[in-house]
Amino acid sequence: MGLMTGTIASTYRTNAVLIAMLITAIVAIIVTIFCFQTKVDFTSCPGLFCVLGIVVMVTGIVTAIVLSFKYVPWLHMLYAAIGAIAFTLFLAYDTQLVLGNRKNTLSPEEYVYGALTIYTDIVYIFTFILQIVGRD
């Protein structure tokens, strides 16, 4: 995943990659602090996150089909914005799963899985923000 992200980032300008990295770090820190402080339980609604994942997938398929014929900038930005918002919510969900004290939690044996899902969420947030920031 690191090789894939590095390859994708190498196609963008250095300024765009640094700005996307900074925005991603700020978002990850804010979401983590929010998950520590909030009374909102994201783990109680996994069905909503399933539907959100399906929305991202369908939007991606439609975007891939449309962009293969003609480049539509607003559609590309819409897909990137939906993806960034969705994976920010996934990050909040996964962070609360690891933190515990909610309806659904991970057991201590699953902490490695939890860390990998948080890492994956952050990488996806970075790639979606990079699409928004690095547009030509």
Side-chain angles (χ1 to χ4, degrees):
M1 189 158 210
L3 179 65
M4 176 194 73
T5 306
T7 304
I8 290 170
S10 69
T11 63
Y12 290 92
R13 290 174 289 127
T14 307
N15 297 2
V17 173
L18 291 175
I19 291 171
M21 186 177 65
L22 181 67
I23 292 172
T24 304
I26 291 170
V27 166
I29 290 168
I30 288 173
V31 167
T32 303
I33 291 171
F34 175 77
C35 288
F36 273 112
Q37 300 295 326
T38 188
K39 302 283 187 213
V40 178
D41 185 12
F42 287 109
T43 65
S44 65
C45 48
L48 174 72
F49 289 102
C50 180
V51 170
L52 192 60
I54 292 170
V55 166
V56 171
M57 182 184 71
V58 169
T59 307
I61 291 170
V62 169
T63 303
I65 291 170
V66 170
L67 293 182
S68 66
F69 294 110
K70 182 181 180 201
Y71 183 72
V72 182
W74 64 267
L75 183 61
H76 190 193
M77 292 304 111
L78 177 69
Y79 171 63
I82 289 173
I85 291 168
F87 278 98
T88 301
L89 291 173
F90 289 150
L91 178 63
Y93 176 79
D94 292 333
T95 302
Q96 283 189 347
L97 279 178
V98 171
L99 290 176
N101 298 331
R102 305 290 179 187
K103 181 179 176 188
N104 299 321
T105 61
L106 293 178
S107 67
E109 291 87 21
E110 296 175 320
Y111 283 163
V112 172
Y113 168 74
L116 288 174
T117 57
I118 289 173
Y119 168 74
T120 305
D121 293 339
I122 292 172
V123 168
Y124 281 133
I125 291 169
F126 172 74
T127 56
F128 282 119
I129 289 176
L130 187 60
Q131 288 178 30
I132 295 169
V133 173
R135 68 187 190 315
D136 292 325

